[in-house]
């Protein structure tokens, strides 16, 4: 009998694993989309170079003159994580930062799965996990060394812990509730240490709690849990504890900045507050966000569209639901799945606020806080990334109801956030608005080849590093004028230059040492460009030796340009170039401005130090 019991137990365990096959498949999809060809992708964003460069400094390997202050860009947690990855791996390879974000992106997929399962059911959890796993918006940032994927992870973990604490208190388990409250406070603190807007997670919880109290007093009805019991969950004490723990996590960073940063913490806040002056352009920034999301169409978009076509053939329900499902599918093809999910979540969020479920209130405020505040700032697309899990969690249940994939026999409860499908005029109006937006957004009904190629920027600063290793002697010195990834990848001694004189940077170098000057669009196209002025003065000491194509991915382009300018730029397949008069009849090539249609370029010049110093001496001697 004992043997039989063991055999039966082994059989149960053996058959339990395949039941989680869909979850494993979703996680594998998320990993493949984020790690595909990642080893050859080049850092190309200014902030990527800052974070990775400062991480290299912490790991003991830093380009000379790398003086980009960390506090100006973000708190230190992401940089510390990248430095830790360098230390654990034992190699200071910049692309390790990309793999770190890819793993964090997959972890966020798991977090969204857990929240959707607790809020709805396993089927909805699988749909929600698939939507964020294949979200090209989330995939694009998971393949970059920016702070926003880590912020989204901590933000999601903070909200999930807050809701878990609420459920624990409802179940009469105060100890478990206290542990989850502490976890939520730590997550908010870590989100705050990742980016300066990490405190918004606490604001979401507080707004949802206040909404509960106001609605309860106004309607005279107690709020309910998912099981229909009276809501007796987190209160003001829990919110105070979360605020206290998160503040204790963040205060050491304030102290550090006050002691080490010129201008102190107020100086840092003054820099970021200067971007808030653009709140008057809120409506224009909102249109920029909508146009930018339409560019997020790549492999994940293809996967979701094909799955949507399959689901349309398998769906149940009447003609109205079929019409609405077909409209959503067509809108996803023309506008991108992320645009449709965000729009659907915004439409259904008022219904979520009318429900009696705390989780729906939290998701609605989570989405609307970013939807209202992000356009007040400069329209960086990454600012709305932390709201993507909220949009997916709000949109999942309406999608299941729309496709009639909800569980058999399940009745719609009062306040459930299902999309109102019966009013045909609402569906017609939505289709008309989607059609207008599809014609107004600049990236076409289907993504063109130029847009598709911008997802894997191979010919950039990493290609520059390969050329340097192959074509220059080991004792060569490089003056890198432009974005920080220049010096992050450069395998030779490199000096990072901002809007500074490359001539002055050559002081102390012997005349016989091979010296090169590498420059990109940012190095020469700034107000009062020192580089262009020095090229006009000392151009006869510069010899162009190499021109390299600089691939800028979509996120970087959308940070510098409007979606309409990006669409014109990626439509052209030619390499851009500009020229500067270097005296006499000589014209030196230099990178064109980033707004010029076509591929950007990197120019490398060899500097004749003896001629440069002679020319400089003659200029100083002349009256």
């Amino acid at each position: 009998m004992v043997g039989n019991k063991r055999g039966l137990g082994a059989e149960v365990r053996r058959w339990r694993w395949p039941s989680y096959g869909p979850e494993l498949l979703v996680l594998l999809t998320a990993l493949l989309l984020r790690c595909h060809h990642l080893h050859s992708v080049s850092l190309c964003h200014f902030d990527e170079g800052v974070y990775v460069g400062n991480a290299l400094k912490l790991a003991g390997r830093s380009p000379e003159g790398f003086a980009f202050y960390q506090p100006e860009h973000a708190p230190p947690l992401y940089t510390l994580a990248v430095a830790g990855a360098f230390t654990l791996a034992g190699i200071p390879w910049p692309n390790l930062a990309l793999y770190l974000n890819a793993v964090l992106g997959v972890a966020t997929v798991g977090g969204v799965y857990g929240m959707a399962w607790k809020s709805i059911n396993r089927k909805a959890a699988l749909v929600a996990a698939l939507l964020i796993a294949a979200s090209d918006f989330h995939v694009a940032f998971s393949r970059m060394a920016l702070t926003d994927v880590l912020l989204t992870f901590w933000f999601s973990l903070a909200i999930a812990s807050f809701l878990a604490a609420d459920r624990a208190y409802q179940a009469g388990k105060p100890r478990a509730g206290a542990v989850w409250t502490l976890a939520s406070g730590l997550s908010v603190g870590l989100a705050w240490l990742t980016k300066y807007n990490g405190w918004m997670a606490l604001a979401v919880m507080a707004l949802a709690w206040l909404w509960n109290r106001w609605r309860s007093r106004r309607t005279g009805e107690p709020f309910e849990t998912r099981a229909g019991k009276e809501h007796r969950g987190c209160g003001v004490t829990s919110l105070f504890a979360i605020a206290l723990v998160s503040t204790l996590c963040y205060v050491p960073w304030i102290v550090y900045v006050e002691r080490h940063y010129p201008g102190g913490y107020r100086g840092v806040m003054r820099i970021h507050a200067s971007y808030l002056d653009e709140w008057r352009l809120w409506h224009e920034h909102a249109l920029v966000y909508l146009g930018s999301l339409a560019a997020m169409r790549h492999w994940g978009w293809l996967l979701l569209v094909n799955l949507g076509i399959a689901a349309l053939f398998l769906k149940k329900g009447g003609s109205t639901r079929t019409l609405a499902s077909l409209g959503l599918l067509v809108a996803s093809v023309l506008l991108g799945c992320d645009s449709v999910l965000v729009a659907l979540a915004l439409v259904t969020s008022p219904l979520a606020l009318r429900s009696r479920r705390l989780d729906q209130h939290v998701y609605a405020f989570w989405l609307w806080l970013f939807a209202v505040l992000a356009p007040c700032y400069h329209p960086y697309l990454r600012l709305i990334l932390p709201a993507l899990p909220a949009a997916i969690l709000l949109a999942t249940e309406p999608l299941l109801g729309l496709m009639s994939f909800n569980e058999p026999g399940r009745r719609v409860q009062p306040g459930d956030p299902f999309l109102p499908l019966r009013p045909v005029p609402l569906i017609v109006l939505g289709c008309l608005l989607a059609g207008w937006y599809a014609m107004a957004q600049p990236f076409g009904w289907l993504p063109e080849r130029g847009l598709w190629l911008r997802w894997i920027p191979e010919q950039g600063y990493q290609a520059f590093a390969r050329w340097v290793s192959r074509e220059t002697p080991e004792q060569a010195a490089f003056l890198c004028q432009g974005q920080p990834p220049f010096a992050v990848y450069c395998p030779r001694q490199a000096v990072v230059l901002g809007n500074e004189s490359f001539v002055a940077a050559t002081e102390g170098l012997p005349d016989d040492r091979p010296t090169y000057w590498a420059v990109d669009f940012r190095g020469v196209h700034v107000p009062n460009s020192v580089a262009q002025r020095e090229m006009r003065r000392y151009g006869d000491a510069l010899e162009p030796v190499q021109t390299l194509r600089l691939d800028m991915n979509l996120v970087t382009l959308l940070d510098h340009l409007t979606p309409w300018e990006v669409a014109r730029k990626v439509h052209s397949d030619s390499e851009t170039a500009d020229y500067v008069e270097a005296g006499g009849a000589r014209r030196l090539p230099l990178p064109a401005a980033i707004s010029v249609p076509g591929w950007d370029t990197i120019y490398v010049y060899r500097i004749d130090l003896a001629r440069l110093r002679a020319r400089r001496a003659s200029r100083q001697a002349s009256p």
Side-chain angles (χ1 to χ4, degrees):
M1 292 297 294
V2 174
N4 290 338
K5 287 183 179 179
R6 286 180 180 177
L8 180 61
E11 184 179 359
V12 170
R13 285 194 295 271
R14 186 165 58 250
W15 283 100
R16 188 175 296 170
W17 278 105
S19 66
Y20 292 97
E23 285 85 348
L24 294 176
L25 186 60
V26 170
L27 289 177
L28 181 60
T29 300
L31 188 64
L32 289 176
L33 288 173
R34 285 156 179 79
C35 293
H36 169 66
H37 228 258
L38 199 57
H39 66 281
S40 63
V41 171
S42 175
L43 306 180
C44 60
H45 197 285
F46 185 95
D47 290 357
E48 286 184 295
V50 172
Y51 301 139
V52 176
N54 281 308
L56 288 171
K57 289 177 73 172
L58 292 174
R61 176 189 178 275
S62 174
E64 183 181 339
F66 196 92
F68 295 97
Y69 289 110
Q70 176 72 32
E72 293 180 0
H73 299 272
L77 187 60
Y78 179 69
T79 299
L80 291 172
V82 175
F86 290 154
T87 303
L88 289 175
I91 53 172
W93 184 38
N95 280 30
L96 278 179
L98 304 181
Y99 282 98
L100 174 63
N101 266 7
V103 172
L104 290 169
V106 175
T108 306
V109 173
V112 170
Y113 173 85
M115 283 190 282
W117 195 348
K118 290 294 183 180
S119 294
I120 313 173
N121 53 40
R122 183 189 175 194
K123 188 177 296 183
L126 280 170
V127 173
L130 179 62
L131 289 175
I132 193 168
S135 166
D136 286 321
F137 183 26
H138 194 263
V139 168
F141 285 94
S142 299
R143 295 170 61 84
M144 296 183 68
L146 295 174
T147 57
D148 305 274
V149 170
L150 181 57
L151 174 65
T152 304
F153 172 76
W154 291 126
F155 214 104
S156 303
L157 188 59
I159 298 297
S161 300
F162 175 71
L163 294 175
D166 184 74
R167 287 190 294 269
Y169 285 125
Q170 291 168 12
K173 300 177 180 178
R175 289 187 178 179
V179 171
W180 283 115
T181 300
L182 177 62
S184 182
L186 288 173
S187 300
V188 174
L190 293 172
W192 207 350
L193 285 171
T194 301
K195 206 160 184 173
Y196 288 115
N197 62 341
W199 58 268
M200 291 174 68
L202 178 61
V204 168
M205 302 172 199
L207 288 172
W209 182 83
L210 289 172
W211 179 260
N212 281 339
R213 288 292 181 263
W214 179 79
R215 285 276 293 168
S216 180
R217 291 181 180 179
R218 185 171 181 269
T219 61
E221 298 176 359
F223 278 82
E224 298 177 359
T225 67
R226 186 65 175 144
K229 299 178 182 179
E230 186 175 346
H231 178 263
R232 299 291 183 187
C234 291
V236 65
T237 304
S238 299
L239 289 173
F240 178 78
I242 293 172
L244 178 63
V245 172
S246 60
T247 303
L248 291 175
C249 291
Y250 188 69
V251 163
W253 175 244
I254 299 178
V255 175
Y256 174 85
V257 174
E258 283 288 342
R259 291 182 177 179
H260 297 91
Y261 179 73
Y265 193 76
R266 288 185 180 180
V268 173
M269 291 297 100
R270 215 173 285 122
I271 293 173
H272 289 272
S274 63
Y275 290 94
L276 290 174
D277 292 341
E278 302 186 18
W279 63 269
R280 302 176 185 85
L281 304 175
W282 190 96
H283 60 291
E284 295 182 9
H285 292 174
L287 289 176
V288 168
Y289 280 121
L290 289 173
S292 300
L293 284 175
M296 301 290 110
R297 288 179 287 174
H298 203 241
W299 291 115
W301 166 75
L302 271 181
L303 173 63
L304 290 178
V305 166
N306 282 281
L307 289 176
I309 294 172
L312 192 62
F313 283 104
L314 296 174
K315 75 172 293 296
K316 309 169 187 177
S319 58
T320 303
R321 293 192 176 202
T322 303
L323 176 63
S325 302
L326 182 61
L328 279 178
L329 181 60
V330 172
S332 299
V333 172
L334 301 180
L335 308 175
C337 298
D338 296 297
S339 298
V340 173
L341 286 172
V342 171
L344 182 60
L346 289 172
V347 168
T348 56
S349 57
L351 299 175
L353 291 174
R354 291 178 57 190
S355 72
R356 299 171 183 171
R357 292 164 50 187
L358 178 65
D359 55 355
Q360 294 297 323
H361 301 159
V362 171
Y363 300 153
F365 279 107
W366 183 358
L367 175 64
W368 275 102
L369 195 63
F370 281 90
V372 172
L373 294 183
C376 296
Y377 206 78
H378 187 79
Y380 295 126
L381 186 59
R382 60 185 183 271
L383 293 182
I384 61 174
L385 182 67
L388 182 64
I392 289 173
L393 289 166
L394 284 171
T396 297
E397 200 165 356
L399 282 175
L400 286 174
L402 185 67
M403 301 300 293
S404 301
F405 288 154
N406 49 316
E407 295 177 358
R410 182 187 183 279
R411 295 182 179 179
V412 178
Q413 301 176 3
D416 271 359
F418 276 89
L419 182 67
L421 300 173
R422 292 183 180 176
V424 177
L426 181 63
I427 299 174
V428 174
L429 178 61
C431 291
L432 290 175
L433 289 174
W436 169 81
Y437 176 40
M439 291 185 290
Q441 62 93 359
F443 295 104
W445 289 7
L446 294 174
E448 60 177 299
R449 179 177 177 272
L451 190 70
W452 197 271
L453 292 176
R454 294 288 181 163
W455 281 84
I456 304 180
E458 296 179 339
Q459 302 300 320
Y461 299 103
Q462 197 166 193
F464 160 75
R466 290 194 294 268
W467 177 85
V468 170
S469 298
R470 186 174 62 251
E471 301 294 339
T472 63
E474 292 187 3
Q475 69 272 20
F478 271 82
L479 311 177
C480 300
Q481 191 138 26
Q483 298 206 112
F486 249 142
V488 166
Y489 280 115
C490 188
R492 306 286 184 252
Q493 181 184 354
V495 178
V496 184
L497 300 175
N499 190 22
E500 302 161 358
S501 171
F502 66 86
V503 176
T506 61
E507 294 181 0
L509 294 174
D511 290 352
D512 59 346
R513 183 173 183 180
T515 304
Y516 298 86
W517 179 50
V519 62
D520 63 11
F521 70 94
R522 195 179 184 97
V524 292
H525 292 285
V526 293
N528 303 316
S529 172
V530 175
Q532 289 199 36
R533 184 191 67 197
E534 301 289 46
M535 289 180 76
R536 295 187 185 96
R537 290 178 177 178
Y538 307 107
D540 54 349
L542 298 176
E543 177 190 356
V545 293
Q546 185 64 27
T547 304
L548 298 166
R549 197 175 82 180
L550 175 58
D551 292 358
M552 309 292 286
N553 67 15
L554 282 175
V555 172
T556 305
L557 292 177
L558 289 167
D559 272 5
H560 288 88
L561 308 171
T562 67
W564 293 265
E565 291 173 325
V566 172
R568 289 194 296 269
K569 184 177 182 66
V570 301
H571 184 71
S572 174
D573 199 37
S574 60
E575 292 187 0
T576 61
D578 201 351
Y579 295 90
V580 64
E581 301 294 336
R586 193 173 188 215
R587 300 173 72 228
L588 286 178
L590 76 161
I594 193 173
S595 58
V596 177
W599 297 97
D600 296 288
T601 49
I602 295 172
Y603 280 95
V604 183
Y605 303 87
R606 178 155 185 166
I607 303 176
D608 188 333
L609 293 179
R611 181 177 294 180
L612 176 66
R613 286 164 181 160
R615 177 69 171 164
R616 191 179 184 188
S618 65
R619 286 186 62 87
Q620 291 175 348
S622 61

